[in-house]
Amino acid sequence: MLNPPTALLATLTLTAALSAQAAPRHARSEPPPQPLGPRPELVAFADTLANDTGWDATALRDLLAQALDLPRVRQLILPAPAGAAKTWAAYRERFIDSRRIDAGLAFWAEHEAALARAESQYGVPAEIIIGILGVETFYGRITGGFKVLDALATLAFDFPAEHPRAAERQAFFRRELAEFLRLCRDNGLDPAEVRGSYAGALGLPQFMPGSWRQYAVDFDGDGRIDLFASPADAIGSVAHYLAEQGWKPAQTTHYTVQLPADPLSRRRLLAPDIRPHFSAAELLAEGATLSEAARDHDGPLAVIELQNGPHMPATVRLGTENFWAITRYNWSAYYAMAVIELGQAVRARRAPAPR
């Protein structure tokens, strides 16, 4: 996600981006992307970064000027058209199917020790880590085919003006471009060759460069952090990230709830969106029907509404602070619930541990 704190894969998922990359067979061909060139804002950015880091300004200018301006990236970063319907059932079906569950089972079996160690060290259950890595990249099978330098430079210097938060997002991507260049320098990577998502997210967990530098950990103990090729580093880094976002060990992620019939009460309860805001007592006072476990919950709760199209009732849950922590990875209740339910599905398929 691209919302503060600098997280990972935007509010758009990698899978959606990859699906969108497939152009219709008879689509009109577009001219090949052109280099950004030495535009003034690019040169100023390069000179400032070179001054801050001691790098060669001319070489940095040349590297950035040669980055390609990608029209496809500008298109993919735009939000869905207003009025586009969200359907939880369809969203869930994209991520929770037999192939992904089978892959999750195999990944868990192969990396059981690292997952157990991450849970012990950071308090994040293995199934949550499994859910995130499965939704983000299908356990490393789909990590993105865009050259990250081109993608980030496009969004840093040619961000689509029609985006409702263009100035904020462009500033974000300029920061991430600087973080990416620092990451490459620190890790001996060729910035012109690194590949990731259209938004610049990297590796198995799809960390943005700033998140990699701030939250990624060397969990396999080999002296370096490699989120591209080390599943252990990816596992530990996801757990560390969630712990830093306030994950509470042993707390559940959500409860069932029935909202009150009164429209005004429903609107008040849904207004804060995914941020935990209400106590159990406040929810009861508004007329919500809570499960026994939810009534006993100590801490704030969010009323989460997942739409199911115009003809089906919405799915409604109460999100805890741990549900909120997952949305720090990607600012979406649909995403968080898919992560949770994929992890649960994989856990349910695992054979019981021998006694």
Side-chain angles (χ1 to χ4, degrees):
M1 60 193 157
L2 299 179
N3 298 283
T6 56
L8 321 159
L9 181 72
T11 52
L12 306 167
T13 66
L14 176 63
T15 300
L18 291 172
S19 298
Q21 289 178 43
R25 182 174 298 178
H26 302 295
R28 183 174 55 189
S29 61
E30 296 180 353
Q34 298 299 311
L36 284 162
R39 56 186 70 191
E41 62 271 26
L42 181 151
V43 171
F45 171 89
D47 290 349
T48 299
L49 183 58
N51 183 66
D52 291 345
T53 58
W55 300 345
D56 182 88
T58 300
L60 188 54
R61 286 182 183 185
D62 290 345
L63 175 69
L64 293 174
Q66 292 168 18
L68 296 180
D69 190 356
L70 301 178
R72 190 64 178 140
V73 165
R74 295 200 307 273
Q75 179 184 11
L76 288 169
I77 206 65
L78 291 172
K86 292 182 178 179
T87 304
W88 163 236
Y91 189 96
R92 185 186 189 280
E93 188 177 350
R94 273 173 44 201
F95 296 109
I96 305 171
D97 60 16
S98 59
R99 292 179 62 248
R100 209 171 294 243
I101 293 169
D102 288 344
L105 280 169
F107 187 89
W108 197 329
E110 184 176 357
H111 304 290
E112 185 169 6
L115 287 160
R117 185 159 54 92
E119 183 167 353
S120 175
Q121 183 169 335
Y122 297 112
V124 180
E127 67 191 74
I128 297 296
I129 302 170
I130 286 289
I132 284 178
L133 294 176
V135 169
E136 289 290 346
T137 62
F138 208 142
Y139 307 104
R141 298 183 187 184
I142 307 171
T143 56
F146 288 90
K147 287 193 173 183
V148 171
L149 179 64
D150 294 343
L152 288 177
T154 295
L155 297 172
F157 303 114
D158 197 14
F159 196 89
E162 62 269 33
H163 192 287
R165 293 190 291 163
E168 174 190 348
R169 287 300 188 222
Q170 184 166 30
F172 171 84
F173 283 110
R174 287 191 185 183
R175 293 193 299 271
E176 288 298 326
L177 176 58
E179 292 290 332
F180 172 68
L181 294 168
R182 290 187 174 98
L183 175 67
C184 290
R185 178 65 64 96
D186 292 346
N187 291 273
L189 302 173
D190 181 350
E193 296 301 323
V194 176
R195 292 183 181 269
S197 81
Y198 70 91
L202 303 164
L204 275 75
Q206 291 290 276
F207 273 24
M208 291 299 289
S211 291
W212 181 319
R213 299 188 73 238
Q214 185 172 359
Y215 299 110
V217 295
D218 172 20
F219 210 58
D220 61 11
D222 68 352
R224 60 192 294 265
I225 298 171
D226 186 357
L227 299 185
F228 295 105
S230 171
D233 286 359
I235 288 166
S237 297
V238 169
H240 180 230
Y241 178 83
L242 291 176
E244 290 295 311
Q245 305 312 313
W247 183 273
K248 296 182 180 300
Q251 183 185 85
T252 190
T253 55
H254 63 285
Y255 301 103
T256 58
V257 63
Q258 183 177 340
L259 294 185
D262 177 58
L264 291 178
S265 292
R266 293 173 70 95
R267 280 200 291 271
R268 281 195 294 269
L269 293 178
L270 290 168
D273 196 30
I274 57 179
R275 185 184 294 274
H277 182 81
F278 300 103
S279 67
E282 289 171 327
L283 291 163
L284 290 168
E286 286 284 357
T289 302
L290 277 59
S291 65
E292 182 176 352
R295 289 197 298 271
D296 293 337
H297 181 80
D298 181 19
L301 295 163
V303 180
I304 308 297
E305 185 178 53
L306 305 173
Q307 297 294 329
N308 284 309
H311 306 298
M312 296 291 291
T315 298
V316 183
R317 298 288 184 264
L318 291 179
T320 68
E321 290 161 293
N322 280 353
F323 190 97
W324 170 254
I326 297 172
T327 66
R328 302 311 81 214
Y329 210 103
N330 183 315
W331 191 292
S332 166
Y334 295 82
Y335 171 87
M337 193 59 70
V339 163
I340 293 163
E341 293 200 3
L342 175 60
Q344 290 174 340
V346 176
R347 182 193 62 186
R349 286 273 304 279
R350 276 174 56 81
R355 293 184 179 274

mmCIF file of all heavy atoms in Angstrom, residues 174-217:
data_model
loop_
_atom_site.group_PDB
_atom_site.id
_atom_site.type_symbol
_atom_site.label_atom_id
_atom_site.label_comp_id
_atom_site.label_asym_id
_atom_site.label_seq_id
_atom_site.Cartn_x
_atom_site.Cartn_y
_atom_site.Cartn_z
ATOM 1 N N ARG A 174 8.236 10.110 -5.490
ATOM 2 C CA ARG A 174 9.592 10.668 -5.535
ATOM 3 C C ARG A 174 10.397 10.204 -4.331
ATOM 4 O O ARG A 174 11.590 9.876 -4.456
ATOM 5 C CB ARG A 174 9.527 12.201 -5.603
ATOM 6 C CG ARG A 174 9.071 12.694 -6.957
ATOM 7 C CD ARG A 174 9.258 14.188 -7.135
ATOM 8 N NE ARG A 174 8.695 14.601 -8.417
ATOM 9 C CZ ARG A 174 8.752 15.829 -8.893
ATOM 10 N NH1 ARG A 174 9.331 16.791 -8.187
ATOM 11 N NH2 ARG A 174 8.219 16.120 -10.075
ATOM 12 N N ARG A 175 9.758 10.155 -3.169
ATOM 13 C CA ARG A 175 10.460 9.634 -1.998
ATOM 14 C C ARG A 175 10.822 8.161 -2.193
ATOM 15 O O ARG A 175 11.929 7.730 -1.843
ATOM 16 C CB ARG A 175 9.600 9.791 -0.744
ATOM 17 C CG ARG A 175 9.374 11.229 -0.314
ATOM 18 C CD ARG A 175 8.787 11.317 1.088
ATOM 19 N NE ARG A 175 7.483 10.665 1.200
ATOM 20 C CZ ARG A 175 6.327 11.282 0.966
ATOM 21 N NH1 ARG A 175 6.312 12.557 0.576
ATOM 22 N NH2 ARG A 175 5.184 10.638 1.122
ATOM 23 N N GLU A 176 9.886 7.399 -2.754
ATOM 24 C CA GLU A 176 10.162 5.980 -2.965
ATOM 25 C C GLU A 176 11.243 5.761 -4.018
ATOM 26 O O GLU A 176 12.023 4.803 -3.929
ATOM 27 C CB GLU A 176 8.879 5.239 -3.342
ATOM 28 C CG GLU A 176 7.905 5.076 -2.184
ATOM 29 C CD GLU A 176 8.486 4.249 -1.048
ATOM 30 O OE1 GLU A 176 9.272 3.313 -1.301
ATOM 31 O OE2 GLU A 176 8.148 4.547 0.116
ATOM 32 N N LEU A 177 11.315 6.623 -5.013
ATOM 33 C CA LEU A 177 12.387 6.521 -6.003
ATOM 34 C C LEU A 177 13.738 6.733 -5.335
ATOM 35 O O LEU A 177 14.698 5.991 -5.602
ATOM 36 C CB LEU A 177 12.156 7.540 -7.119
ATOM 37 C CG LEU A 177 13.240 7.623 -8.196
ATOM 38 C CD1 LEU A 177 13.440 6.275 -8.888
ATOM 39 C CD2 LEU A 177 12.889 8.703 -9.224
ATOM 40 N N ALA A 178 13.822 7.736 -4.471
ATOM 41 C CA ALA A 178 15.068 7.953 -3.745
ATOM 42 C C ALA A 178 15.404 6.753 -2.869
ATOM 43 O O ALA A 178 16.573 6.312 -2.804
ATOM 44 C CB ALA A 178 14.966 9.218 -2.897
ATOM 45 N N GLU A 179 14.385 6.188 -2.193
ATOM 46 C CA GLU A 179 14.616 5.013 -1.356
ATOM 47 C C GLU A 179 15.070 3.824 -2.200
ATOM 48 O O GLU A 179 15.927 3.034 -1.790
ATOM 49 C CB GLU A 179 13.337 4.657 -0.589
ATOM 50 C CG GLU A 179 12.937 5.666 0.466
ATOM 51 C CD GLU A 179 13.870 5.675 1.650
ATOM 52 O OE1 GLU A 179 14.475 4.621 1.945
ATOM 53 O OE2 GLU A 179 14.019 6.734 2.280
ATOM 54 N N PHE A 180 14.494 3.678 -3.384
ATOM 55 C CA PHE A 180 14.876 2.580 -4.270
ATOM 56 C C PHE A 180 16.344 2.710 -4.690
ATOM 57 O O PHE A 180 17.093 1.718 -4.676
ATOM 58 C CB PHE A 180 13.979 2.580 -5.500
ATOM 59 C CG PHE A 180 14.399 1.609 -6.572
ATOM 60 C CD1 PHE A 180 14.309 0.239 -6.369
ATOM 61 C CD2 PHE A 180 14.895 2.072 -7.791
ATOM 62 C CE1 PHE A 180 14.703 -0.658 -7.355
ATOM 63 C CE2 PHE A 180 15.294 1.178 -8.774
ATOM 64 C CZ PHE A 180 15.207 -0.191 -8.554
ATOM 65 N N LEU A 181 16.760 3.894 -5.039
ATOM 66 C CA LEU A 181 18.147 4.084 -5.450
ATOM 67 C C LEU A 181 19.109 3.828 -4.295
ATOM 68 O O LEU A 181 20.180 3.234 -4.482
ATOM 69 C CB LEU A 181 18.333 5.488 -6.018
ATOM 70 C CG LEU A 181 17.573 5.748 -7.335
ATOM 71 C CD1 LEU A 181 17.583 7.230 -7.667
ATOM 72 C CD2 LEU A 181 18.171 4.930 -8.476
ATOM 73 N N ARG A 182 18.728 4.236 -3.096
ATOM 74 C CA ARG A 182 19.550 3.939 -1.920
ATOM 75 C C ARG A 182 19.593 2.429 -1.659
ATOM 76 O O ARG A 182 20.645 1.875 -1.324
ATOM 77 C CB ARG A 182 18.997 4.662 -0.689
ATOM 78 C CG ARG A 182 19.176 6.182 -0.708
ATOM 79 C CD ARG A 182 18.739 6.771 0.638
ATOM 80 N NE ARG A 182 19.011 8.202 0.718
ATOM 81 C CZ ARG A 182 18.119 9.164 0.496
ATOM 82 N NH1 ARG A 182 16.866 8.831 0.174
ATOM 83 N NH2 ARG A 182 18.453 10.430 0.611
ATOM 84 N N LEU A 183 18.442 1.778 -1.801
ATOM 85 C CA LEU A 183 18.375 0.339 -1.598
ATOM 86 C C LEU A 183 19.295 -0.388 -2.575
ATOM 87 O O LEU A 183 20.032 -1.318 -2.188
ATOM 88 C CB LEU A 183 16.931 -0.136 -1.781
ATOM 89 C CG LEU A 183 16.660 -1.633 -1.724
ATOM 90 C CD1 LEU A 183 16.920 -2.169 -0.330
ATOM 91 C CD2 LEU A 183 15.221 -1.944 -2.142
ATOM 92 N N CYS A 184 19.258 0.010 -3.816
ATOM 93 C CA CYS A 184 20.129 -0.620 -4.815
ATOM 94 C C CYS A 184 21.593 -0.394 -4.487
ATOM 95 O O CYS A 184 22.411 -1.325 -4.586
ATOM 96 C CB CYS A 184 19.793 -0.078 -6.207
ATOM 97 S SG CYS A 184 18.196 -0.621 -6.846
ATOM 98 N N ARG A 185 21.942 0.819 -4.101
ATOM 99 C CA ARG A 185 23.340 1.111 -3.762
ATOM 100 C C ARG A 185 23.774 0.282 -2.555
ATOM 101 O O ARG A 185 24.873 -0.291 -2.549
ATOM 102 C CB ARG A 185 23.489 2.613 -3.483
ATOM 103 C CG ARG A 185 24.895 3.043 -3.062
ATOM 104 C CD ARG A 185 25.919 2.841 -4.168
ATOM 105 N NE ARG A 185 25.636 3.682 -5.331
ATOM 106 C CZ ARG A 185 26.207 4.873 -5.538
ATOM 107 N NH1 ARG A 185 27.067 5.355 -4.669
ATOM 108 N NH2 ARG A 185 25.917 5.560 -6.623
ATOM 109 N N ASP A 186 22.920 0.197 -1.540
ATOM 110 C CA ASP A 186 23.288 -0.529 -0.318
ATOM 111 C C ASP A 186 23.428 -2.028 -0.553
ATOM 112 O O ASP A 186 24.184 -2.703 0.165
ATOM 113 C CB ASP A 186 22.226 -0.302 0.770
ATOM 114 C CG ASP A 186 22.193 1.130 1.272
ATOM 115 O OD1 ASP A 186 23.145 1.880 0.984
ATOM 116 O OD2 ASP A 186 21.207 1.499 1.933
ATOM 117 N N ASN A 187 22.675 -2.569 -1.525
ATOM 118 C CA ASN A 187 22.642 -4.018 -1.721
ATOM 119 C C ASN A 187 23.334 -4.486 -3.000
ATOM 120 O O ASN A 187 23.230 -5.660 -3.361
ATOM 121 C CB ASN A 187 21.189 -4.494 -1.723
ATOM 122 C CG ASN A 187 20.540 -4.389 -0.359
ATOM 123 O OD1 ASN A 187 20.640 -5.298 0.459
ATOM 124 N ND2 ASN A 187 19.891 -3.269 -0.086
ATOM 125 N N GLY A 188 24.022 -3.579 -3.670
ATOM 126 C CA GLY A 188 24.744 -3.964 -4.874
ATOM 127 C C GLY A 188 23.850 -4.379 -6.016
ATOM 128 O O GLY A 188 24.231 -5.229 -6.837
ATOM 129 N N LEU A 189 22.653 -3.793 -6.110
ATOM 130 C CA LEU A 189 21.717 -4.121 -7.186
ATOM 131 C C LEU A 189 21.835 -3.110 -8.318
ATOM 132 O O LEU A 189 22.083 -1.917 -8.079
ATOM 133 C CB LEU A 189 20.281 -4.113 -6.652
ATOM 134 C CG LEU A 189 19.978 -5.059 -5.494
ATOM 135 C CD1 LEU A 189 18.566 -4.815 -4.976
ATOM 136 C CD2 LEU A 189 20.157 -6.511 -5.918
ATOM 137 N N ASP A 190 21.644 -3.560 -9.540
ATOM 138 C CA ASP A 190 21.614 -2.673 -10.691
ATOM 139 C C ASP A 190 20.207 -2.087 -10.791
ATOM 140 O O ASP A 190 19.250 -2.811 -11.088
ATOM 141 C CB ASP A 190 21.948 -3.454 -11.960
ATOM 142 C CG ASP A 190 21.961 -2.576 -13.211
ATOM 143 O OD1 ASP A 190 21.532 -1.403 -13.137
ATOM 144 O OD2 ASP A 190 22.387 -3.080 -14.273
ATOM 145 N N PRO A 191 20.026 -0.792 -10.539
ATOM 146 C CA PRO A 191 18.669 -0.231 -10.531
ATOM 147 C C PRO A 191 17.953 -0.365 -11.866
ATOM 148 O O PRO A 191 16.718 -0.362 -11.901
ATOM 149 C CB PRO A 191 18.886 1.235 -10.147
ATOM 150 C CG PRO A 191 20.309 1.510 -10.464
ATOM 151 C CD PRO A 191 21.039 0.223 -10.243
ATOM 152 N N ALA A 192 18.695 -0.481 -12.956
ATOM 153 C CA ALA A 192 18.062 -0.605 -14.268
ATOM 154 C C ALA A 192 17.534 -2.005 -14.542
ATOM 155 O O ALA A 192 16.818 -2.205 -15.531
ATOM 156 C CB ALA A 192 19.057 -0.205 -15.360
ATOM 157 N N GLU A 193 17.840 -2.962 -13.668
ATOM 158 C CA GLU A 193 17.448 -4.348 -13.926
ATOM 159 C C GLU A 193 16.432 -4.907 -12.921
ATOM 160 O O GLU A 193 15.822 -5.944 -13.178
ATOM 161 C CB GLU A 193 18.689 -5.245 -13.933
ATOM 162 C CG GLU A 193 19.662 -4.934 -15.052
ATOM 163 C CD GLU A 193 19.026 -5.062 -16.431
ATOM 164 O OE1 GLU A 193 18.187 -5.966 -16.619
ATOM 165 O OE2 GLU A 193 19.355 -4.262 -17.317
ATOM 166 N N VAL A 194 16.247 -4.256 -11.796
ATOM 167 C CA VAL A 194 15.340 -4.767 -10.768
ATOM 168 C C VAL A 194 13.903 -4.694 -11.264
ATOM 169 O O VAL A 194 13.472 -3.668 -11.814
ATOM 170 C CB VAL A 194 15.482 -3.961 -9.464
ATOM 171 C CG1 VAL A 194 14.464 -4.425 -8.423
ATOM 172 C CG2 VAL A 194 16.902 -4.088 -8.919
ATOM 173 N N ARG A 195 13.152 -5.767 -11.055
ATOM 174 C CA ARG A 195 11.752 -5.812 -11.502
ATOM 175 C C ARG A 195 10.811 -5.973 -10.317
ATOM 176 O O ARG A 195 11.148 -6.585 -9.304
ATOM 177 C CB ARG A 195 11.533 -6.941 -12.519
ATOM 178 C CG ARG A 195 12.256 -6.684 -13.845
ATOM 179 C CD ARG A 195 11.993 -7.757 -14.872
ATOM 180 N NE ARG A 195 12.716 -7.486 -16.113
ATOM 181 C CZ ARG A 195 12.227 -6.802 -17.135
ATOM 182 N NH1 ARG A 195 10.984 -6.326 -17.068
ATOM 183 N NH2 ARG A 195 12.945 -6.584 -18.220
ATOM 184 N N GLY A 196 9.618 -5.418 -10.481
ATOM 185 C CA GLY A 196 8.607 -5.499 -9.438
ATOM 186 C C GLY A 196 7.260 -5.095 -9.997
ATOM 187 O O GLY A 196 7.004 -5.197 -11.197
ATOM 188 N N SER A 197 6.382 -4.609 -9.138
ATOM 189 C CA SER A 197 5.037 -4.232 -9.557
ATOM 190 C C SER A 197 5.042 -2.884 -10.264
ATOM 191 O O SER A 197 6.031 -2.141 -10.242
ATOM 192 C CB SER A 197 4.107 -4.168 -8.347
ATOM 193 O OG SER A 197 4.263 -2.938 -7.652
ATOM 194 N N TYR A 198 3.912 -2.541 -10.870
ATOM 195 C CA TYR A 198 3.789 -1.244 -11.546
ATOM 196 C C TYR A 198 3.927 -0.087 -10.576
ATOM 197 O O TYR A 198 4.236 1.037 -10.980
ATOM 198 C CB TYR A 198 2.447 -1.156 -12.275
ATOM 199 C CG TYR A 198 1.260 -1.043 -11.355
ATOM 200 C CD1 TYR A 198 0.773 0.187 -10.959
ATOM 201 C CD2 TYR A 198 0.637 -2.189 -10.870
ATOM 202 C CE1 TYR A 198 -0.307 0.280 -10.098
ATOM 203 C CE2 TYR A 198 -0.437 -2.099 -10.021
ATOM 204 C CZ TYR A 198 -0.911 -0.861 -9.639
ATOM 205 O OH TYR A 198 -1.970 -0.784 -8.784
ATOM 206 N N ALA A 199 3.716 -0.336 -9.273
ATOM 207 C CA ALA A 199 3.850 0.715 -8.264
ATOM 208 C C ALA A 199 5.220 0.701 -7.596
ATOM 209 O O ALA A 199 5.470 1.491 -6.700
ATOM 210 C CB ALA A 199 2.765 0.568 -7.205
ATOM 211 N N GLY A 200 6.094 -0.213 -8.024
ATOM 212 C CA GLY A 200 7.436 -0.261 -7.470
ATOM 213 C C GLY A 200 7.599 -1.188 -6.291
ATOM 214 O O GLY A 200 8.622 -1.125 -5.601
ATOM 215 N N ALA A 201 6.637 -2.064 -6.034
ATOM 216 C CA ALA A 201 6.732 -2.995 -4.912
ATOM 217 C C ALA A 201 7.624 -4.172 -5.281
ATOM 218 O O ALA A 201 7.652 -4.605 -6.429
ATOM 219 C CB ALA A 201 5.350 -3.482 -4.498
ATOM 220 N N LEU A 202 8.316 -4.717 -4.278
ATOM 221 C CA LEU A 202 9.431 -5.614 -4.537
ATOM 222 C C LEU A 202 9.307 -6.958 -3.817
ATOM 223 O O LEU A 202 8.879 -7.009 -2.653
ATOM 224 C CB LEU A 202 10.739 -4.956 -4.066
ATOM 225 C CG LEU A 202 11.067 -3.586 -4.675
ATOM 226 C CD1 LEU A 202 12.148 -2.896 -3.852
ATOM 227 C CD2 LEU A 202 11.520 -3.749 -6.119
ATOM 228 N N GLY A 203 9.698 -8.019 -4.494
ATOM 229 C CA GLY A 203 9.940 -9.292 -3.860
ATOM 230 C C GLY A 203 8.711 -10.061 -3.428
ATOM 231 O O GLY A 203 7.576 -9.720 -3.769
ATOM 232 N N LEU A 204 8.953 -11.143 -2.671
ATOM 233 C CA LEU A 204 7.863 -12.005 -2.211
ATOM 234 C C LEU A 204 6.806 -11.251 -1.431
ATOM 235 O O LEU A 204 5.612 -11.487 -1.620
ATOM 236 C CB LEU A 204 8.409 -13.151 -1.350
ATOM 237 C CG LEU A 204 8.902 -14.412 -2.075
ATOM 238 C CD1 LEU A 204 10.254 -14.153 -2.723
ATOM 239 C CD2 LEU A 204 8.989 -15.584 -1.120
ATOM 240 N N PRO A 205 7.191 -10.319 -0.533
ATOM 241 C CA PRO A 205 6.153 -9.629 0.247
ATOM 242 C C PRO A 205 5.683 -8.332 -0.379
ATOM 243 O O PRO A 205 4.833 -7.652 0.197
ATOM 244 C CB PRO A 205 6.866 -9.361 1.576
ATOM 245 C CG PRO A 205 8.288 -9.146 1.194
ATOM 246 C CD PRO A 205 8.531 -10.044 -0.001
ATOM 247 N N GLN A 206 6.238 -7.950 -1.525
ATOM 248 C CA GLN A 206 5.855 -6.715 -2.208
ATOM 249 C C GLN A 206 6.018 -5.494 -1.303
ATOM 250 O O GLN A 206 5.131 -4.652 -1.182
ATOM 251 C CB GLN A 206 4.429 -6.812 -2.749
ATOM 252 C CG GLN A 206 4.285 -7.792 -3.889
ATOM 253 C CD GLN A 206 4.964 -7.318 -5.164
ATOM 254 O OE1 GLN A 206 4.409 -6.558 -5.950
ATOM 255 N NE2 GLN A 206 6.198 -7.775 -5.402
ATOM 256 N N PHE A 207 7.188 -5.372 -0.704
ATOM 257 C CA PHE A 207 7.524 -4.177 0.059
ATOM 258 C C PHE A 207 7.871 -3.046 -0.901
ATOM 259 O O PHE A 207 8.582 -3.258 -1.888
ATOM 260 C CB PHE A 207 8.735 -4.434 0.946
ATOM 261 C CG PHE A 207 8.421 -5.010 2.294
ATOM 262 C CD1 PHE A 207 7.271 -5.728 2.527
ATOM 263 C CD2 PHE A 207 9.307 -4.834 3.348
ATOM 264 C CE1 PHE A 207 6.986 -6.261 3.774
ATOM 265 C CE2 PHE A 207 9.036 -5.351 4.600
ATOM 266 C CZ PHE A 207 7.881 -6.069 4.824
ATOM 267 N N MET A 208 7.393 -1.856 -0.582
ATOM 268 C CA MET A 208 7.911 -0.678 -1.255
ATOM 269 C C MET A 208 9.341 -0.458 -0.786
ATOM 270 O O MET A 208 9.734 -0.911 0.298
ATOM 271 C CB MET A 208 7.037 0.538 -0.950
ATOM 272 C CG MET A 208 5.652 0.486 -1.570
ATOM 273 S SD MET A 208 5.662 0.398 -3.373
ATOM 274 C CE MET A 208 6.225 2.054 -3.822
ATOM 275 N N PRO A 209 10.176 0.232 -1.592
ATOM 276 C CA PRO A 209 11.583 0.399 -1.205
ATOM 277 C C PRO A 209 11.771 1.005 0.181
ATOM 278 O O PRO A 209 12.637 0.569 0.949
ATOM 279 C CB PRO A 209 12.130 1.309 -2.302
ATOM 280 C CG PRO A 209 11.278 1.002 -3.492
ATOM 281 C CD PRO A 209 9.906 0.742 -2.954
ATOM 282 N N GLY A 210 10.958 2.009 0.532
ATOM 283 C CA GLY A 210 11.090 2.611 1.849
ATOM 284 C C GLY A 210 10.775 1.641 2.963
ATOM 285 O O GLY A 210 11.410 1.649 4.029
ATOM 286 N N SER A 211 9.794 0.770 2.740
ATOM 287 C CA SER A 211 9.454 -0.237 3.739
ATOM 288 C C SER A 211 10.547 -1.298 3.841
ATOM 289 O O SER A 211 10.844 -1.798 4.929
ATOM 290 C CB SER A 211 8.116 -0.883 3.386
ATOM 291 O OG SER A 211 7.075 0.036 3.544
ATOM 292 N N TRP A 212 11.123 -1.671 2.713
ATOM 293 C CA TRP A 212 12.249 -2.618 2.732
ATOM 294 C C TRP A 212 13.345 -2.061 3.627
ATOM 295 O O TRP A 212 13.845 -2.748 4.530
ATOM 296 C CB TRP A 212 12.764 -2.820 1.313
ATOM 297 C CG TRP A 212 13.906 -3.797 1.161
ATOM 298 C CD1 TRP A 212 14.996 -3.934 1.978
ATOM 299 C CD2 TRP A 212 14.078 -4.769 0.118
ATOM 300 N NE1 TRP A 212 15.837 -4.909 1.510
ATOM 301 C CE2 TRP A 212 15.299 -5.438 0.376
ATOM 302 C CE3 TRP A 212 13.336 -5.117 -1.002
ATOM 303 C CZ2 TRP A 212 15.774 -6.447 -0.469
ATOM 304 C CZ3 TRP A 212 13.821 -6.124 -1.844
ATOM 305 C CH2 TRP A 212 15.021 -6.773 -1.582
ATOM 306 N N ARG A 213 13.721 -0.799 3.413
ATOM 307 C CA ARG A 213 14.835 -0.233 4.162
ATOM 308 C C ARG A 213 14.501 -0.048 5.639
ATOM 309 O O ARG A 213 15.389 -0.083 6.495
ATOM 310 C CB ARG A 213 15.268 1.093 3.538
ATOM 311 C CG ARG A 213 15.750 0.943 2.093
ATOM 312 C CD ARG A 213 16.348 2.224 1.544
ATOM 313 N NE ARG A 213 17.648 2.488 2.133
ATOM 314 C CZ ARG A 213 17.959 3.580 2.806
ATOM 315 N NH1 ARG A 213 17.055 4.519 3.019
ATOM 316 N NH2 ARG A 213 19.174 3.754 3.303
ATOM 317 N N GLN A 214 13.232 0.138 5.957
ATOM 318 C CA GLN A 214 12.850 0.399 7.343
ATOM 319 C C GLN A 214 12.472 -0.865 8.112
ATOM 320 O O GLN A 214 12.770 -0.973 9.311
ATOM 321 C CB GLN A 214 11.681 1.377 7.391
ATOM 322 C CG GLN A 214 11.284 1.811 8.798
ATOM 323 C CD GLN A 214 10.252 2.915 8.802
ATOM 324 O OE1 GLN A 214 9.822 3.399 7.753
ATOM 325 N NE2 GLN A 214 9.852 3.323 9.988
ATOM 326 N N TYR A 215 11.826 -1.823 7.445
ATOM 327 C CA TYR A 215 11.231 -2.945 8.166
ATOM 328 C C TYR A 215 11.804 -4.309 7.818
ATOM 329 O O TYR A 215 11.593 -5.265 8.582
ATOM 330 C CB TYR A 215 9.720 -2.978 7.925
ATOM 331 C CG TYR A 215 8.995 -1.745 8.392
ATOM 332 C CD1 TYR A 215 8.450 -0.839 7.478
ATOM 333 C CD2 TYR A 215 8.857 -1.464 9.743
ATOM 334 C CE1 TYR A 215 7.781 0.300 7.900
ATOM 335 C CE2 TYR A 215 8.196 -0.323 10.173
ATOM 336 C CZ TYR A 215 7.660 0.554 9.246
ATOM 337 O OH TYR A 215 7.003 1.677 9.676
ATOM 338 N N ALA A 216 12.457 -4.465 6.686
ATOM 339 C CA ALA A 216 12.933 -5.786 6.285
ATOM 340 C C ALA A 216 14.054 -6.248 7.218
ATOM 341 O O ALA A 216 14.856 -5.445 7.709
ATOM 342 C CB ALA A 216 13.418 -5.759 4.836
ATOM 343 N N VAL A 217 14.091 -7.559 7.463
ATOM 344 C CA VAL A 217 15.077 -8.128 8.378
ATOM 345 C C VAL A 217 15.778 -9.314 7.722
ATOM 346 O O VAL A 217 15.225 -9.993 6.854
ATOM 347 C CB VAL A 217 14.415 -8.582 9.703
ATOM 348 C CG1 VAL A 217 13.853 -7.395 10.470
ATOM 349 C CG2 VAL A 217 13.331 -9.628 9.466
#
